[in-house]
C-alpha cells in the first residue's frame, strides 16, 4: 500500500469522528510460543489498515484538526544493542520519515503524554476488550481526567466503539486492496494446483501442506492466512481439521482449505479431489451437487442482491441433490424450511474476506440482510459432509466435500478471484493424470 492510501483511510476515519475527538488504537502484542520463543508478530489489522507501521509496542493516535498534526505514533526508541538481536526499529524519526506520522513519541512516555492529548476532547474512539491490559490504562487515564475536572480541566464525555467505524470502511475494498487480494488469490490457486499434482496414496497430509507453504513463500506470501486444512477421507468431515498428520488412502477424497496472506490480505480457497486422481461414481455424484450449488451461489453475487441470497441458492441446489440421491426424503421446500439439510451441510455459504480471513463488516443492517455493493469481497463455499450415520448407505460414509472461491462484487456482477484453481471434475482428473505420468 502507498502512503497516499494510508493517508486516505485516516482522513476518512477522521471525517467520521468529527471535531473534538481522539482515536486511540494499540497495536498487537507479542505472544510467547514457549520458553524464549515468540510467535511471529503480526500487526493488528485495524492498526495496519490505518498506517502500515508493523512493530509491536506501538500505539496510533488520531486527533482531527490538531494544530500540530493529526497523526501520532507512539513506538519504541532506536536501540542499537537490541536491534542487533531482534532487528531494525523505526524509532521516532522513522515513524515520521517512513510512515508520515506528524508526531512520534517514545512508547515509554505514553502515560505522560496521552492523557494530555485526551484532555480537551469530547469523544474518545477506542475499542474495549481487545487488549485487557491496555483497557486498564485507558480507564485509569479517563478516571484521572474526570478527577482533574474539579480543578477546571475538561474530560471526555463519550467513549465510542472505534471498530464500528473501521469495520464499515474496511468492508469496501479500494483498487490497491483488490490488487493485493487478487495476487494472494492467484498465488493460492497455484498452491492448490501444486497440491493436486503432488498428491497420491501413501503421502501424508503434512507433506501436501508443505507443498502449499512452499508455493506461498516462493511467491512472496510469507505466511498462510490461517492454519491450512488438509483432510483426507473422514478428516475432510471435520470443518476445522488442522492436525494434518494422517496418511492418504486410495479411493479417499482430500479436502484442502488453504490460502496465502499477502501484504496483510487473505485468500481463502477450498478444493476437494480424489487422492488417486479419479473420482468414484458416488464421489462424482456428491461432488457435482456441491459444484452446482456453488455455481448457483456465485451467480447470486451481484449488486442489489442481499447477503443471504447466495446461501439460499446453494441450499436449494444441495437439498434437491440430496433428495435425488435418497439421502433426504420429502418435499424439497419443506425440507429447506425444516433445515433438514443441516445434517449434511451445517455451515453458511460464505463470509466477508479481507485483512482477516473472516473479515469485518455487518451482515445485517437494522435486522435486514444488507445489500451487496461493488468493492465487497466474500467467499462462496457450499459443502456436504457425510460421516457414518446408521440410516445412510455405507457407500456415502466419510465423504467430505467443500468447494470455496473468493468473489469480488463488481459494478456489473462479480469476479471470481480464485478461478485459477480447477474445480471441474474433468479438469481435476486431467491435471492429476498428467502429474502421474510425469512421476512415472
Amino acid at each position: 500500500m502507498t502512503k497516499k492510501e494510508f493517508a486516505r483511510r485516516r482522513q476518512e476515519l477522521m471525517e467520521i469522528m468529527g471535531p473534538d475527538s481522539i482515536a486511540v488504537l494499540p497495536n498487537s502484542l507479542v505472544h510467547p510460543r514457549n520458553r524464549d520463543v515468540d510467535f511471529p508478530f503480526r500487526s493488528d489489522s485495524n492498526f495496519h489498515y490505518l498506517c502500515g507501521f508493523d512493530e509491536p509496542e506501538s500505539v496510533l493516535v488520531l486527533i482531527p484538526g490538531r494544530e500540530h498534526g493529526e497523526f501520532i505514533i507512539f513506538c519504541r526508541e532506536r536501540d542499537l544493542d537490541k536491534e542487533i538481536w531482534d532487528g531494525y526499529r523505526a524509532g521516532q524519526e522513522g515513524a515520521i520519515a517512513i510512515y508520515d506520522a506528524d508526531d512520534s513519541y517514545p512508547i515509554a512516555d505514553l502515560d505522560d503524554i496521552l492523557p494530555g492529548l485526551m484532555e480537551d476532547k469530547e469523544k474518545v474512539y477506542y475499542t474495549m476488550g481487545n487488549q485487557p491490559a491496555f483497557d486498564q490504562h485507558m480507564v485509569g487515564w479517563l478516571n484521572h481526567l474526570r478527577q482533574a475536572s474539579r480543578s477546571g480541566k475538561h474530560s471526555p464525555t463519550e467513549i465510542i466503539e472505534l471498530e464500528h467505524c473501521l469495520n464499515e470502511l474496511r468492508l469496501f475494498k479500494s483498487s490497491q486492496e483488490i490488487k493485493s487480494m487478487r495476487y494472494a488469490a492467484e498465488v493460492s490457486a497455484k498452491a492448490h494446483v501444486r497440491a493436486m499434482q503432488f498428491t497420491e496414496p501413501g503421502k501424508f497430509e503434512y507433506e501436501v501442506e508443505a507443498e502449499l507453504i512452499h508455493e506461498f513463500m516462493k511467491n512472496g506470501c510469507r505466511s498462510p492466512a490461517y492454519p491450512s486444512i488438509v483432510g483426507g477421507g473422514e478428516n475432510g468431515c471435520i470443518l476445522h481439521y488442522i492436525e494434518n498428520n494422517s496418511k492418504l488412502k486410495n479411493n479417499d477424497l482430500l479436502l484442502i482449505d488453504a490460502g496465502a496472506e499477502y501484504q496483510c490480505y487473505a485468500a481463502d480457497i477450498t478444493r476437494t479431489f480424489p487422492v488417486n486422481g479419479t473420482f468414484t461414481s458416488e464421489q462424482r455424484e456428491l461432488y457435482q451437487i456441491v459444484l452446482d450449488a456453488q455455481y448457483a451461489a456465485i451467480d447470486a453475487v451481484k449488486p442489489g442482491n442481499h447477503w443471504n441470497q447466495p446461501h439460499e441458492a446453494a441450499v436449494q441446489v444441495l437439498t434437491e441433490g440430496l433428495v435425488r440421491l435418497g439421502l433426504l426424503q420429502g418435499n424439497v421446500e419443506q425440507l429447506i424450511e425444516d433445515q433438514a439439510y443441516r445434517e449434511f451441510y451445517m455451515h453458511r455459504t460464505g463470509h466477508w474476506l479481507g485483512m482477516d480471513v473472516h473479515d469485518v463488516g455487518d451482515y445485517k443492517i437494522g435486522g435486514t440482510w444488507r445489500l451487496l455493493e461493488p468493492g465487497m469481497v466474500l467467499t462462496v463455499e457450499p459443502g456436504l459432509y457425510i460421516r457414518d450415520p446408521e440410516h445412510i448407505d455405507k457407500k456415502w460414509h466419510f465423504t467430505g466435500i467443500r468447494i470455496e472461491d473468493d468473489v469480488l462484487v463488481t459494478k456489473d456482477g462479480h469476479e471470481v478471484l480464485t478461478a485459477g484453481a480447477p474445480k471441474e471434475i474433468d479438469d481435476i482428473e486431467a491435471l492429476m493424470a498428467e502429474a502421474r505420468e510425469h512421476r512415472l
Side-chain angles (χ1 to χ4, degrees):
M1 298 297 146
T2 63
K3 291 182 180 181
K4 185 176 180 180
E5 173 83 358
F6 289 119
R8 178 190 62 78
R9 297 170 181 178
R10 292 191 296 270
Q11 188 60 41
E12 286 183 349
L13 175 60
M14 287 190 286
E15 287 174 4
I16 293 171
M17 291 166 57
D20 298 321
S21 65
I22 181 172
V24 180
L25 178 59
N27 206 351
S28 297
L29 304 173
V30 174
H31 295 285
R33 181 183 184 275
N34 59 338
R35 182 177 174 85
D36 295 332
V37 178
D38 296 324
F39 284 104
F41 176 76
R42 195 233 191 232
S43 279
D44 173 85
S45 292
N46 284 330
F47 193 99
H48 180 89
Y49 179 80
L50 290 171
C51 66
F53 185 87
D54 291 329
E55 291 186 22
E57 298 179 64
S58 52
V59 176
L60 180 150
V61 177
L62 296 178
I63 308 175
R66 178 173 177 259
E67 182 180 352
H68 301 294
E70 300 173 314
F71 170 34
I72 302 167
I73 291 179
F74 289 85
C75 61
R76 302 173 302 184
E77 295 183 88
R78 297 292 306 276
D79 185 323
L80 296 182
D81 288 336
K82 290 184 178 179
E83 288 178 46
I84 288 172
W85 289 94
D86 299 320
Y88 173 78
R89 296 180 176 186
Q92 281 62 63
E93 296 82 3
I96 294 170
I98 301 171
Y99 298 94
D100 278 358
D102 296 312
D103 269 328
S104 181
Y105 303 104
I107 191 68
D109 293 344
L110 190 67
D111 265 326
D112 297 326
I113 296 174
L114 185 56
L117 295 174
M118 294 193 292
E119 182 179 320
D120 60 344
K121 304 297 179 290
E122 294 292 333
K123 298 173 288 187
V124 175
Y125 285 81
Y126 176 75
T127 297
M128 288 284 184
N130 285 348
Q131 291 193 26
F134 199 91
D135 291 350
Q136 293 182 13
H137 287 292
M138 282 294 292
V139 170
W141 294 325
L142 290 168
N143 284 338
H144 176 76
L145 288 173
R146 290 189 186 105
Q147 292 168 4
S149 64
R150 299 168 189 163
S151 58
K153 293 185 177 181
H154 182 79
S155 64
T157 57
E158 290 185 80
I159 300 177
I160 301 172
E161 179 76 22
L162 175 60
E163 280 196 353
H164 180 73
C165 304
L166 281 172
N167 290 357
E168 197 66 14
L169 292 176
R170 282 176 52 188
L171 179 59
F172 296 90
K173 307 304 189 282
S174 70
S175 59
Q176 286 193 41
E177 290 178 287
I178 291 168
K179 183 178 179 180
S180 292
M181 294 188 71
R182 188 176 283 120
Y183 184 74
E186 291 170 355
V187 170
S188 300
K190 290 179 182 178
H192 279 263
V193 169
R194 184 187 185 105
M196 291 178 189
Q197 293 170 324
F198 174 82
T199 297
E200 61 182 347
K203 300 287 189 184
F204 280 86
E205 293 164 343
Y206 55 75
E207 293 181 85
V208 181
E209 182 181 13
E211 297 296 312
L212 295 164
I213 294 172
H214 179 94
E215 195 68 29
F216 293 166
M217 286 205 169
K218 84 167 189 174
N219 287 288
C221 300
R222 295 295 306 279
S223 172
Y226 52 95
S228 299
I229 297 168
V230 184
E234 62 186 277
N235 295 334
C237 296
I238 302 171
L239 299 183
H240 291 158
Y241 173 80
I242 57 172
E243 284 78 3
N244 301 349
N245 57 10
S246 295
K247 183 179 285 190
L248 299 175
K249 300 175 185 177
N250 194 38
N251 292 322
D252 275 353
L253 293 176
L254 176 60
L255 186 155
I256 298 178
D257 187 338
E261 181 177 278
Y262 180 68
Q263 295 181 341
C264 285
Y265 286 86
D268 187 3
I269 303 177
T270 306
R271 291 292 185 265
T272 309
F273 55 91
V275 169
N276 63 13
T278 304
F279 288 88
T280 68
S281 59
E282 289 82 11
Q283 290 167 353
R284 275 177 168 266
E285 289 181 286
L286 286 171
Y287 184 94
Q288 193 62 51
I289 291 170
V290 177
L291 184 58
D292 290 343
Q294 201 215 22
Y295 282 136
I298 290 173
D299 284 344
V301 177
K302 56 187 175 183
N305 277 3
H306 63 67
W307 164 260
N308 206 45
Q309 280 178 256
H311 178 68
E312 292 169 353
V315 165
Q316 182 74 33
V317 176
L318 290 173
T319 306
E320 289 172 355
L322 291 168
V323 169
R324 190 166 61 250
L325 295 183
L327 292 164
L328 288 177
Q329 287 83 37
N331 175 269
V332 169
E333 301 310 318
Q334 187 61 50
L335 290 168
I336 292 173
E337 185 176 341
D338 296 339
Q339 298 189 356
Y341 59 85
R342 286 184 60 84
E343 179 182 359
F344 308 111
Y345 178 48
M346 60 293 297
H347 60 79
R348 297 196 57 83
T349 303
H351 52 77
W352 299 129
L353 183 70
M355 298 185 76
D356 299 312
V357 68
H358 288 179
D359 207 36
V360 297
D362 293 332
Y363 294 96
K364 286 186 174 182
I365 297 177
T368 302
W369 295 113
R370 79 180 302 156
L371 299 182
L372 299 176
E373 299 180 55
M376 296 174 169
V377 182
L378 61 149
T379 66
V380 179
E381 50 179 308
L384 288 175
Y385 313 91
I386 304 172
R387 297 186 65 83
D388 58 345
E390 292 182 0
H391 64 284
I392 296 298
D393 192 316
K394 288 184 179 180
K395 68 180 181 179
W396 307 113
H397 284 188
F398 299 120
T399 303
I401 299 168
R402 182 164 64 252
I403 307 171
E404 177 181 22
D405 281 296
D406 305 342
V407 183
L408 166 69
V409 184
T410 65
K411 182 178 65 173
D412 301 317
H414 61 259
E415 175 189 348
V416 179
L417 302 178
T418 46
K423 58 187 178 183
E424 290 285 346
I425 290 174
D426 290 346
D427 292 340
I428 291 171
E429 290 187 339
L431 176 68
M432 296 184 73
E434 182 181 359
R436 261 196 321 270
E437 289 178 7
H438 287 151
R439 287 198 294 266
L440 295 176

